[in-house]
């Protein structure tokens, strides 16, 4: 819980505007915690039917005050999940790796291309367990990597996905500065 709250303080949230998606939402802990912040919408994506059903029950019985009442839980394969056009904060707590992670990130990139916006990807992992490093060369649209110190042994990395026009402008600016 403490790590999640530290993470939220580092994200510079825009109350009533940001949309949070938790990939591999499991029992719904991050979904519930995110709903205690003023997101416009919070979404959980989980493959397991039993975990999704438990998450729904957890959401109904939560005693914490929820600032975000618009919460959705989707029981689906993350690779098939249609990324919401307004999703801009994506949370991954080591839910999957390799080709599955790459496919999900490619879906996010496709969504950003169709609905231009800046997206922040937060990837949490245990020390030495950064599966994103294994595919980072295959996802060049992930930029601006920042380590987020949230303590207690959990490591978090934040990345940015910019819309293609902004990304192209950044590349042109960097090339001009280098020349």
């Amino acid at each position: 819980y403490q790590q999640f709250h530290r993470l939220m303080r580092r994200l510079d949230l825009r109350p009533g505007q940001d949309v949070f998606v938790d990939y591999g939402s499991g029992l719904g802990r991050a979904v519930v915690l995110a709903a205690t912040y003023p997101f416009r919408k919070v979404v959980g994506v989980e493959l397991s039917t039993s975990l999704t059903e438990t998450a729904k029950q957890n959401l109904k019985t939560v005693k914490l005050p929820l600032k975000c009442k618009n919460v959705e839980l989707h029981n689906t394969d993350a690779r098939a999940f249609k990324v919401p056009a307004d999703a801009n904060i994506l949370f991954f707590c080591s839910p999957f790796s390799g080709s599955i992670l790459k496919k999900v990130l490619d879906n996010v990139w496709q969504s950003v291309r169709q609905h231009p916006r800046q997206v922040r990807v937060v990837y949490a992992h245990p020390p030495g367990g950064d599966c994103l490093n294994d595919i980072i060369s295959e996802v060049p649209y992930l930029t601006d990597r920042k380590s987020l110190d949230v303590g207690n042994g959990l490591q978090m990395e934040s990345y940015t996905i910019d819309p293609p026009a902004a990304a192209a402008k950044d590349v042109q600016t960097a090339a001009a500065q280098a020349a």
Side-chain angles (χ1 to χ4, degrees):
Y1 296 101
Q2 291 175 346
Q3 292 124 322
F4 191 86
H5 293 301
R6 286 184 193 126
L7 167 67
M8 290 295 115
R9 287 192 295 269
R10 302 279 311 269
L11 289 181
D12 299 322
L13 300 179
R14 299 170 307 155
Q17 296 179 39
D18 292 315
V19 175
F20 180 94
V21 178
D22 178 18
Y23 282 92
S25 56
L27 298 171
R29 179 180 290 176
V31 169
V32 168
L33 290 173
T36 66
Y37 289 85
F39 286 105
R40 186 162 46 79
K41 181 168 45 173
V42 174
V43 180
V45 180
E46 175 56 51
L47 178 62
S48 167
T49 302
S50 63
L51 291 177
T52 302
E53 290 306 314
T54 302
K56 287 178 182 178
Q57 290 306 311
N58 289 341
L59 190 59
K60 287 179 185 176
T61 60
V62 69
K63 303 280 191 261
L64 299 170
L66 302 182
K67 292 181 180 173
C68 177
K69 305 292 188 205
N70 187 1
V71 178
E72 300 175 2
L73 295 169
H74 296 268
N75 179 211
T76 188
D77 187 318
R79 293 171 290 191
F81 177 68
K82 185 173 177 357
V83 180
D86 53 356
N88 66 327
I89 298 177
L90 310 180
F91 183 70
F92 296 81
C93 192
S94 296
F96 34 73
S97 61
S99 63
I100 297 172
L101 182 56
K102 182 173 181 328
K103 173 64 175 153
V104 170
L105 291 171
D106 286 346
N107 290 347
V108 172
W109 175 237
Q110 184 63 28
S111 175
V112 169
R113 291 175 63 210
Q114 291 173 349
H115 308 282
R117 65 198 184 280
Q118 185 177 72
V119 172
R120 287 176 281 175
V121 174
V122 177
Y123 190 79
H125 57 89
D130 188 352
C131 296
L132 194 49
N133 274 341
D134 298 340
I135 64 162
I136 199 71
S137 64
E138 301 175 47
V139 286
Y141 43 81
L142 283 180
T143 63
D144 195 28
R145 178 181 180 166
K146 294 178 184 164
S147 291
L148 304 174
D149 180 17
V150 294
N152 294 340
L154 189 64
Q155 295 180 324
M156 292 195 194
E157 314 296 330
S158 170
Y159 298 84
T160 302
I161 300 176
D162 285 314
K169 185 184 290 184
D170 288 346
V171 169
Q172 290 171 352
T173 302
Q177 289 174 346

